[in-house]
Amino acid sequence: MGQDTPVSQDTPVSQDTPVKRETPAARVTPDDFFRTEIRVGRVLSAEPFPEARKPAYKLRIDFGPLGEKRSSAQITARYTPEQLAGRLVIAVTNFPPRQIATFMSEVLVLGVPEAGSGDVILLAPDAEVPPGTRVF
């Protein structure tokens, strides 16, 4: 683990490893959590987004009964457009749309930072599920 690697209090750490501890987020109730709609989608296409400030792709994602949604995702360091097409992803689907340069992003695709590089690793189910399936 690097110096900036966040860990929980129960994460095993060697005595030689300096650890940056994160301040826990404010507590929320289950009702608060379930107001956030998180669903599985299938990437239909990914294309470079040169107008974005940081390297990104424009994604078209199928969410089954919710239809097709668009997202801008800063995932170019780890994925090619060809690797993304057909892939299942997890996204927040009920945030308001957000203008990013010339593109309207409708959903927030979720990922975690890779230790060391900070490159985004996409979250995905570990088995095939239909697009639009709600995460809980």
Side-chain angles (χ1 to χ4, degrees):
M1 283 182 252
Q3 185 172 359
D4 294 330
T5 304
V7 296
S8 68
Q9 291 179 339
D10 57 353
T11 302
V13 178
S14 78
Q15 291 179 323
D16 301 347
T17 306
V19 175
K20 178 182 175 184
R21 300 226 183 251
E22 285 189 15
T23 303
R27 289 192 182 236
V28 297
T29 67
D31 288 340
D32 293 334
F33 174 79
F34 287 115
R35 277 195 294 272
T36 303
E37 191 169 278
I38 304 171
R39 294 189 181 258
V40 175
R42 184 174 307 280
V43 176
L44 300 172
S45 67
E47 62 184 71
F49 186 12
E51 301 88 0
R53 279 186 281 158
K54 294 182 180 178
Y57 292 129
K58 295 179 193 177
L59 304 179
R60 284 183 30 248
I61 306 169
D62 173 26
F63 286 97
L66 294 179
E68 186 179 306
K69 304 285 183 183
R70 302 180 329 154
S71 184
S72 171
Q74 295 174 1
I75 54 176
T76 59
R78 194 166 175 88
Y79 304 97
T80 66
E82 297 77 23
Q83 290 172 318
L84 292 166
R87 180 185 183 97
L88 291 177
V89 294
I90 304 215
V92 176
T93 57
N94 67 336
F95 282 170
R98 184 172 183 184
Q99 185 78 39
I100 300 176
T102 59
F103 185 74
M104 187 62 73
S105 188
E106 301 171 293
V107 298
L108 176 64
V109 175
L110 301 178
V112 296
E114 181 178 39
S117 71
D119 296 344
V120 176
I121 299 169
L122 292 171
L123 296 182
D126 67 357
E128 188 69 25
V129 296
T133 300
R134 184 134 188 212
V135 175
F136 54 87

